[in-house]
Amino acid sequence: MPNATDPSVSTAVAQCLVVDDDPQVRDALVRVVQSQGLACLSADSGDAALAVLAEHGEVAILISDIRMEGMDGMALLEEVRRRFPDTAVIMLSAVDDVQIAVDCLKKGALDYIAKPMTLGEVQVRVAKALEKRELTLQNRYYQKHLEQEVRRQRARIQELFLEGAQTLAHALEAKDAYTRGHSKRVREYAVRTAVLLGYTGEFLDDIRLGAELHDIGKIGTRESVLNKPGPLTPDEFRHITEHTVLGERILAPLARDRPVVLRIARSHHERLDGTGFPDGLAGEAIPVEARIVAVVDAFDAMTTNRAYRESFVPGSAFDELRRCAGQQFEPAIVDAFCTAFPDPARLPIHA
């Protein structure tokens, strides 16, 4: 149940406003309402009722006659529903017309009472209206807090999943001594390059995470292929290319709300000329985040020792990136990376 500390639930005595141009009816209704322990205000017209509401604020229950001079009850009902949607409205009418009752309910009235009515009937209708209003407010409260709790739990599950994915990435680097520290360096290179290209906020955060997890699919690559000192056979090359699709599949269950991360995992080996893998994308069909990671991933691969070759010095790796710009890599991204790290001697290289 909502408690007294919840600002959406009032702990004050419920207020009622009775609106009727007949003073005898109005006074009788006020006495009935007060006998139920409710503080009660009154007004003799729709215009007067709005003035009372402007002064005292929203009330829990509004009981209004339909036929009044000036603003009638139907117009008052529409205005109260617009301004004070949480007020429960009960309409009164001396005309026993089903269509009028239906119109009142369509316009948002909670109940309709035909005159003449008994005082006992009014008491029952007011009690039911208060109960319905309370249930509506409680349902809204629970719905709001349930949605917040679901979002919180979902965020925590995603956080735990991604922590597990990062642990897998680190385990992968322990499996392949030649790539130790690779994911962290690629993350740093990608973020600084993306910032220089003007990316900020959530997109930059997703690049940071995607760059760190880009090779997660290699957890399914055979060590004999990862650490092979010589050229790969066609079957071995096909096997190692599968890490892009596997990486996307590993991350997909709880990273669906972060498509940038998934696109990096899948597409960071695509080439500008369309000869990359796994989809043979070309040019701008390759997501920009994947184009960024492709450049920095290639640089880190060149500047670390691998089983099949010695590392490049950073300056030579820069030259190779520039040589392949326009064919394999996006020239603007190559330029941004080289600008982001103008002094190769200060790069975090771990050969």
mmCIF file of all heavy atoms in Angstrom, residues 206-234:
data_model
loop_
_atom_site.group_PDB
_atom_site.id
_atom_site.type_symbol
_atom_site.label_atom_id
_atom_site.label_comp_id
_atom_site.label_asym_id
_atom_site.label_seq_id
_atom_site.Cartn_x
_atom_site.Cartn_y
_atom_site.Cartn_z
ATOM 1 N N ASP A 206 28.724 4.052 -26.075
ATOM 2 C CA ASP A 206 28.549 2.779 -26.777
ATOM 3 C C ASP A 206 29.778 2.420 -27.605
ATOM 4 O O ASP A 206 30.125 1.240 -27.738
ATOM 5 C CB ASP A 206 27.310 2.841 -27.666
ATOM 6 C CG ASP A 206 26.014 2.747 -26.863
ATOM 7 O OD1 ASP A 206 26.086 2.402 -25.671
ATOM 8 O OD2 ASP A 206 24.946 3.031 -27.430
ATOM 9 N N ILE A 207 30.441 3.418 -28.172
ATOM 10 C CA ILE A 207 31.697 3.154 -28.881
ATOM 11 C C ILE A 207 32.740 2.626 -27.899
ATOM 12 O O ILE A 207 33.480 1.679 -28.201
ATOM 13 C CB ILE A 207 32.197 4.416 -29.603
ATOM 14 C CG1 ILE A 207 31.313 4.715 -30.817
ATOM 15 C CG2 ILE A 207 33.662 4.265 -30.020
ATOM 16 C CD1 ILE A 207 31.710 5.964 -31.571
ATOM 17 N N ARG A 208 32.785 3.232 -26.721
ATOM 18 C CA ARG A 208 33.740 2.790 -25.698
ATOM 19 C C ARG A 208 33.522 1.315 -25.363
ATOM 20 O O ARG A 208 34.478 0.527 -25.339
ATOM 21 C CB ARG A 208 33.585 3.652 -24.443
ATOM 22 C CG ARG A 208 34.492 3.235 -23.278
ATOM 23 C CD ARG A 208 34.250 4.097 -22.040
ATOM 24 N NE ARG A 208 34.780 5.436 -22.233
ATOM 25 C CZ ARG A 208 34.025 6.523 -22.414
ATOM 26 N NH1 ARG A 208 32.700 6.418 -22.425
ATOM 27 N NH2 ARG A 208 34.570 7.708 -22.578
ATOM 28 N N LEU A 209 32.277 0.945 -25.120
ATOM 29 C CA LEU A 209 31.987 -0.435 -24.754
ATOM 30 C C LEU A 209 32.164 -1.376 -25.942
ATOM 31 O O LEU A 209 32.750 -2.457 -25.813
ATOM 32 C CB LEU A 209 30.552 -0.533 -24.223
ATOM 33 C CG LEU A 209 30.101 -1.917 -23.767
ATOM 34 C CD1 LEU A 209 30.969 -2.406 -22.604
ATOM 35 C CD2 LEU A 209 28.633 -1.891 -23.337
ATOM 36 N N GLY A 210 31.656 -0.961 -27.111
ATOM 37 C CA GLY A 210 31.782 -1.810 -28.287
ATOM 38 C C GLY A 210 33.225 -2.073 -28.666
ATOM 39 O O GLY A 210 33.587 -3.184 -29.065
ATOM 40 N N ALA A 211 34.080 -1.052 -28.536
ATOM 41 C CA ALA A 211 35.497 -1.220 -28.857
ATOM 42 C C ALA A 211 36.158 -2.202 -27.904
ATOM 43 O O ALA A 211 36.978 -3.030 -28.313
ATOM 44 C CB ALA A 211 36.201 0.135 -28.799
ATOM 45 N N GLU A 212 35.763 -2.139 -26.640
ATOM 46 C CA GLU A 212 36.356 -3.061 -25.678
ATOM 47 C C GLU A 212 35.920 -4.503 -25.925
ATOM 48 O O GLU A 212 36.690 -5.444 -25.705
ATOM 49 C CB GLU A 212 35.979 -2.651 -24.250
ATOM 50 C CG GLU A 212 36.632 -3.524 -23.191
ATOM 51 C CD GLU A 212 36.414 -3.027 -21.781
ATOM 52 O OE1 GLU A 212 35.676 -2.035 -21.594
ATOM 53 O OE2 GLU A 212 36.985 -3.632 -20.854
ATOM 54 N N LEU A 213 34.687 -4.670 -26.414
ATOM 55 C CA LEU A 213 34.144 -6.019 -26.593
ATOM 56 C C LEU A 213 34.161 -6.483 -28.046
ATOM 57 O O LEU A 213 33.562 -7.514 -28.365
ATOM 58 C CB LEU A 213 32.700 -6.056 -26.069
ATOM 59 C CG LEU A 213 32.491 -5.704 -24.597
ATOM 60 C CD1 LEU A 213 31.011 -5.756 -24.239
ATOM 61 C CD2 LEU A 213 33.296 -6.630 -23.688
ATOM 62 N N HIS A 214 34.830 -5.747 -28.923
ATOM 63 C CA HIS A 214 34.710 -6.036 -30.361
ATOM 64 C C HIS A 214 35.146 -7.448 -30.725
ATOM 65 O O HIS A 214 34.619 -8.045 -31.661
ATOM 66 C CB HIS A 214 35.497 -5.012 -31.187
ATOM 67 C CG HIS A 214 36.988 -5.161 -31.090
ATOM 68 N ND1 HIS A 214 37.712 -4.799 -29.971
ATOM 69 C CD2 HIS A 214 37.900 -5.646 -31.982
ATOM 70 C CE1 HIS A 214 39.000 -5.036 -30.175
ATOM 71 N NE2 HIS A 214 39.140 -5.554 -31.394
ATOM 72 N N ASP A 215 36.110 -8.008 -30.008
ATOM 73 C CA ASP A 215 36.621 -9.340 -30.345
ATOM 74 C C ASP A 215 36.060 -10.436 -29.448
ATOM 75 O O ASP A 215 36.607 -11.545 -29.421
ATOM 76 C CB ASP A 215 38.148 -9.348 -30.249
ATOM 77 C CG ASP A 215 38.831 -8.958 -31.552
ATOM 78 O OD1 ASP A 215 38.148 -8.978 -32.596
ATOM 79 O OD2 ASP A 215 40.026 -8.629 -31.531
ATOM 80 N N ILE A 216 34.966 -10.183 -28.741
ATOM 81 C CA ILE A 216 34.427 -11.162 -27.792
ATOM 82 C C ILE A 216 34.129 -12.495 -28.461
ATOM 83 O O ILE A 216 34.237 -13.561 -27.847
ATOM 84 C CB ILE A 216 33.162 -10.593 -27.114
ATOM 85 C CG1 ILE A 216 32.743 -11.464 -25.930
ATOM 86 C CG2 ILE A 216 32.013 -10.445 -28.097
ATOM 87 C CD1 ILE A 216 33.667 -11.366 -24.761
ATOM 88 N N GLY A 217 33.802 -12.460 -29.748
ATOM 89 C CA GLY A 217 33.485 -13.694 -30.463
ATOM 90 C C GLY A 217 34.667 -14.629 -30.615
ATOM 91 O O GLY A 217 34.484 -15.825 -30.881
ATOM 92 N N LYS A 218 35.882 -14.144 -30.428
ATOM 93 C CA LYS A 218 37.057 -15.009 -30.547
ATOM 94 C C LYS A 218 37.148 -16.014 -29.410
ATOM 95 O O LYS A 218 37.998 -16.912 -29.444
ATOM 96 C CB LYS A 218 38.337 -14.165 -30.601
ATOM 97 C CG LYS A 218 38.558 -13.517 -31.951
ATOM 98 C CD LYS A 218 39.897 -12.800 -32.011
ATOM 99 C CE LYS A 218 40.133 -12.193 -33.395
ATOM 100 N NZ LYS A 218 41.419 -11.437 -33.443
ATOM 101 N N ILE A 219 36.251 -15.871 -28.414
ATOM 102 C CA ILE A 219 36.205 -16.865 -27.353
ATOM 103 C C ILE A 219 35.857 -18.240 -27.944
ATOM 104 O O ILE A 219 36.171 -19.275 -27.376
ATOM 105 C CB ILE A 219 35.184 -16.461 -26.262
ATOM 106 C CG1 ILE A 219 35.504 -17.166 -24.943
ATOM 107 C CG2 ILE A 219 33.765 -16.697 -26.700
ATOM 108 C CD1 ILE A 219 36.693 -16.625 -24.218
ATOM 109 N N GLY A 220 35.222 -18.214 -29.140
ATOM 110 C CA GLY A 220 34.869 -19.461 -29.804
ATOM 111 C C GLY A 220 35.853 -19.872 -30.887
ATOM 112 O O GLY A 220 35.609 -20.839 -31.608
ATOM 113 N N THR A 221 36.957 -19.159 -31.020
ATOM 114 C CA THR A 221 37.965 -19.480 -32.036
ATOM 115 C C THR A 221 38.999 -20.445 -31.457
ATOM 116 O O THR A 221 39.483 -20.253 -30.339
ATOM 117 C CB THR A 221 38.680 -18.200 -32.524
ATOM 118 O OG1 THR A 221 37.707 -17.278 -33.017
ATOM 119 C CG2 THR A 221 39.673 -18.530 -33.628
ATOM 120 N N ARG A 222 39.340 -21.466 -32.202
ATOM 121 C CA ARG A 222 40.306 -22.452 -31.720
ATOM 122 C C ARG A 222 41.668 -21.801 -31.471
ATOM 123 O O ARG A 222 42.142 -20.983 -32.282
ATOM 124 C CB ARG A 222 40.466 -23.594 -32.731
ATOM 125 C CG ARG A 222 39.192 -24.392 -32.967
ATOM 126 C CD ARG A 222 39.494 -25.654 -33.761
ATOM 127 N NE ARG A 222 40.044 -25.358 -35.078
ATOM 128 C CZ ARG A 222 39.299 -25.157 -36.169
ATOM 129 N NH1 ARG A 222 37.972 -25.185 -36.089
ATOM 130 N NH2 ARG A 222 39.883 -24.921 -37.332
ATOM 131 N N GLU A 223 42.303 -22.181 -30.357
ATOM 132 C CA GLU A 223 43.614 -21.615 -30.029
ATOM 133 C C GLU A 223 44.645 -21.948 -31.097
ATOM 134 O O GLU A 223 45.547 -21.149 -31.371
ATOM 135 C CB GLU A 223 44.085 -22.129 -28.665
ATOM 136 C CG GLU A 223 43.299 -21.551 -27.499
ATOM 137 C CD GLU A 223 43.881 -21.968 -26.153
ATOM 138 O OE1 GLU A 223 45.103 -21.863 -25.981
ATOM 139 O OE2 GLU A 223 43.098 -22.416 -25.293
ATOM 140 N N SER A 224 44.502 -23.088 -31.719
ATOM 141 C CA SER A 224 45.468 -23.474 -32.749
ATOM 142 C C SER A 224 45.408 -22.516 -33.933
ATOM 143 O O SER A 224 46.424 -22.296 -34.624
ATOM 144 C CB SER A 224 45.190 -24.909 -33.227
ATOM 145 O OG SER A 224 43.870 -25.008 -33.773
ATOM 146 N N VAL A 225 44.248 -21.922 -34.158
ATOM 147 C CA VAL A 225 44.105 -20.944 -35.232
ATOM 148 C C VAL A 225 44.572 -19.571 -34.762
ATOM 149 O O VAL A 225 45.286 -18.853 -35.470
ATOM 150 C CB VAL A 225 42.642 -20.887 -35.723
ATOM 151 C CG1 VAL A 225 42.463 -19.777 -36.764
ATOM 152 C CG2 VAL A 225 42.231 -22.230 -36.311
ATOM 153 N N LEU A 226 44.172 -19.199 -33.532
ATOM 154 C CA LEU A 226 44.578 -17.893 -32.997
ATOM 155 C C LEU A 226 46.102 -17.758 -32.948
ATOM 156 O O LEU A 226 46.644 -16.687 -33.233
ATOM 157 C CB LEU A 226 44.021 -17.711 -31.578
ATOM 158 C CG LEU A 226 42.552 -17.302 -31.431
ATOM 159 C CD1 LEU A 226 42.180 -17.232 -29.958
ATOM 160 C CD2 LEU A 226 42.306 -15.945 -32.097
ATOM 161 N N ASN A 227 46.767 -18.829 -32.566
ATOM 162 C CA ASN A 227 48.216 -18.750 -32.336
ATOM 163 C C ASN A 227 49.042 -19.409 -33.437
ATOM 164 O O ASN A 227 50.226 -19.678 -33.251
ATOM 165 C CB ASN A 227 48.556 -19.419 -30.988
ATOM 166 C CG ASN A 227 47.875 -18.722 -29.827
ATOM 167 O OD1 ASN A 227 47.793 -17.496 -29.791
ATOM 168 N ND2 ASN A 227 47.381 -19.502 -28.874
ATOM 169 N N LYS A 228 48.428 -19.635 -34.590
ATOM 170 C CA LYS A 228 49.162 -20.278 -35.677
ATOM 171 C C LYS A 228 50.261 -19.354 -36.199
ATOM 172 O O LYS A 228 50.001 -18.203 -36.560
ATOM 173 C CB LYS A 228 48.206 -20.647 -36.811
ATOM 174 C CG LYS A 228 48.885 -21.441 -37.923
ATOM 175 C CD LYS A 228 47.898 -21.884 -38.990
ATOM 176 C CE LYS A 228 48.597 -22.680 -40.080
ATOM 177 N NZ LYS A 228 47.665 -23.145 -41.124
ATOM 178 N N PRO A 229 51.503 -19.825 -36.267
ATOM 179 C CA PRO A 229 52.598 -18.952 -36.695
ATOM 180 C C PRO A 229 52.659 -18.700 -38.200
ATOM 181 O O PRO A 229 53.263 -17.727 -38.645
ATOM 182 C CB PRO A 229 53.847 -19.709 -36.224
ATOM 183 C CG PRO A 229 53.425 -21.143 -36.171
ATOM 184 C CD PRO A 229 51.983 -21.133 -35.790
ATOM 185 N N GLY A 230 52.029 -19.537 -38.984
ATOM 186 C CA GLY A 230 52.095 -19.377 -40.435
ATOM 187 C C GLY A 230 50.772 -18.925 -41.021
ATOM 188 O O GLY A 230 49.819 -18.622 -40.307
ATOM 189 N N PRO A 231 50.706 -18.885 -42.355
ATOM 190 C CA PRO A 231 49.467 -18.460 -43.023
ATOM 191 C C PRO A 231 48.308 -19.402 -42.706
ATOM 192 O O PRO A 231 48.501 -20.599 -42.477
ATOM 193 C CB PRO A 231 49.844 -18.518 -44.517
ATOM 194 C CG PRO A 231 51.332 -18.499 -44.550
ATOM 195 C CD PRO A 231 51.798 -19.192 -43.308
ATOM 196 N N LEU A 232 47.106 -18.862 -42.725
ATOM 197 C CA LEU A 232 45.913 -19.654 -42.460
ATOM 198 C C LEU A 232 45.438 -20.339 -43.732
ATOM 199 O O LEU A 232 45.533 -19.787 -44.827
ATOM 200 C CB LEU A 232 44.788 -18.760 -41.928
ATOM 201 C CG LEU A 232 45.040 -18.031 -40.615
ATOM 202 C CD1 LEU A 232 43.841 -17.151 -40.265
ATOM 203 C CD2 LEU A 232 45.321 -19.012 -39.474
ATOM 204 N N THR A 233 44.923 -21.558 -43.584
ATOM 205 C CA THR A 233 44.277 -22.222 -44.713
ATOM 206 C C THR A 233 42.916 -21.553 -44.950
ATOM 207 O O THR A 233 42.413 -20.826 -44.078
ATOM 208 C CB THR A 233 44.049 -23.715 -44.406
ATOM 209 O OG1 THR A 233 43.089 -23.828 -43.347
ATOM 210 C CG2 THR A 233 45.358 -24.394 -43.992
ATOM 211 N N PRO A 234 42.291 -21.782 -46.112
ATOM 212 C CA PRO A 234 40.950 -21.207 -46.347
ATOM 213 C C PRO A 234 39.946 -21.567 -45.258
ATOM 214 O O PRO A 234 39.154 -20.728 -44.824
ATOM 215 C CB PRO A 234 40.559 -21.771 -47.708
ATOM 216 C CG PRO A 234 41.863 -21.979 -48.399
ATOM 217 C CD PRO A 234 42.819 -22.437 -47.322
#
